[in-house]
């Protein structure tokens, strides 16, 4: 499974927070995108799609960690899950499974 995952396309997605914005990505416990909110930053940016797996946040690997925990620890989101609105750009690295994987 790891070899197939590594063979997928690596995506770089930079989302910039602003007043009233949300990432709008719903991830499972494997950091795989299961749904995008139409009104969220990720859907508007257009790169990520369901099935993509987030493998890094701002240069930090998600290996063994949840994306939401990384975003809490770096101050992007508050403990209650609300976003800090400061114009911060967050770089997500994701891997899209290869066709036929």
């Amino acid at each position: 499974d790891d070899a197939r995952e590594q063979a997928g396309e690596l995506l770089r997605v930079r989302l910039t927070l602003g007043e009233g914005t949300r990432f709008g990505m719903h991830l499972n416990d494997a950091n795989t995108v299961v749904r995008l909110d139409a009104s969220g930053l990720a859907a508007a940016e257009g790169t990520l799609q369901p099935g993509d797996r987030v493998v890094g946040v701002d240069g930090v690997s998600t290996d063994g960690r949840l994306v939401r925990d990384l975003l809490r620890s770096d101050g992007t989101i508050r403990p209650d899950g609300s976003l800090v609105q400061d114009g911060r750009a967050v770089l997500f690295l994701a891997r899209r499974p290869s066709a036929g994987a």
Side-chain angles (χ1 to χ4, degrees), residues 24-48:
M25 293 185 294
H26 298 269
L27 308 176
N28 64 17
D29 287 342
N31 293 318
T32 300
V33 177
V34 293
R35 189 177 87 231
L36 297 173
D37 291 338
S39 61
L41 292 171
E45 191 276 341
T47 301
L48 291 175

Side-chain angles (χ1 to χ4, degrees), residues 8-99:
E9 178 184 3
L10 187 63
L11 310 167
R12 288 173 177 80
V13 179
R14 185 174 303 279
L15 302 177
T16 302
L17 299 170
E19 187 61 38
T21 60
R22 299 174 310 140
F23 291 128
M25 293 185 294
H26 298 269
L27 308 176
N28 64 17
D29 287 342
N31 293 318
T32 300
V33 177
V34 293
R35 189 177 87 231
L36 297 173
D37 291 338
S39 61
L41 292 171
E45 191 276 341
T47 301
L48 291 175
Q49 61 187 24
D52 293 344
R53 184 171 176 268
V54 178
V55 296
V57 177
D58 284 338
V60 178
S61 171
T62 60
D63 191 30
R65 304 176 213 177
L66 296 175
V67 168
R68 67 178 165 264
D69 293 340
L70 289 173
L71 293 173
R72 281 188 187 111
S73 67
D74 78 1
T76 300
I77 60 175
R78 296 179 181 98
D80 67 0
S82 63
L83 294 170
V84 175
Q85 304 297 338
D86 66 356
R88 177 178 296 168
V90 177
L91 178 64
F92 292 92
L93 291 180
R95 193 160 297 278
R96 178 160 299 151
S98 298

